Amino acid sequence: MKKYVALILQLMVWSGFTLVEWLSGRDHILAKVILFSVFFYLAFLLARMIVKSNKTTIFITMVSLGAYAGIHLFLNTLYRSAFF
């Protein structure tokens, strides 16, 4: 159950990253990389507090990042095909 809670909370962190990235649309790529690094570290620390295992934390973080990327790409493709 702890793994599931950590995964859901990390997906919330990635949703926050999407919002902040959208709000800072004109920033340089370096600023976006730093922003991603901060959110990645925040997601990692959040899962580490819940799970208390480095190996499991890394796995959960990669799974949540993959799920976020998949959902993000799917919704972007859906949006672009609906309007263009």
Side-chain angles (χ1 to χ4, degrees):
M1 188 66 165
K2 288 182 180 182
K3 295 175 187 174
Y4 180 70
V5 170
L7 182 73
I8 295 298
L9 289 175
Q10 280 190 343
L11 287 174
M12 289 180 191
V13 169
W14 294 125
S15 297
F17 169 73
T18 302
L19 177 66
V20 172
E21 184 185 26
W22 176 69
L23 290 173
S24 64
R26 294 185 179 193
D27 285 349
H28 294 289
I29 190 71
L30 180 62
K32 290 185 180 189
V33 168
I34 293 170
L35 182 69
F36 176 79
S37 300
V38 168
F39 274 87
F40 184 84
Y41 186 65
L42 179 66
F44 184 82
L45 286 181
L46 184 66
R48 179 73 176 99
M49 284 177 37
I50 295 169
V51 178
K52 306 226 188 307
S53 166
N54 282 336
K55 186 182 273 189
T56 307
T57 300
I58 291 170
F59 178 74
I60 290 172
T61 303
M62 291 303 142
V63 168
S64 72
L65 185 58
Y68 161 75
I71 292 168
H72 190 73
L73 289 173
F74 173 72
L75 291 176
N76 275 340
T77 304
L78 190 66
Y79 174 76
R80 289 177 192 216
S81 66
F83 290 108
F84 299 111

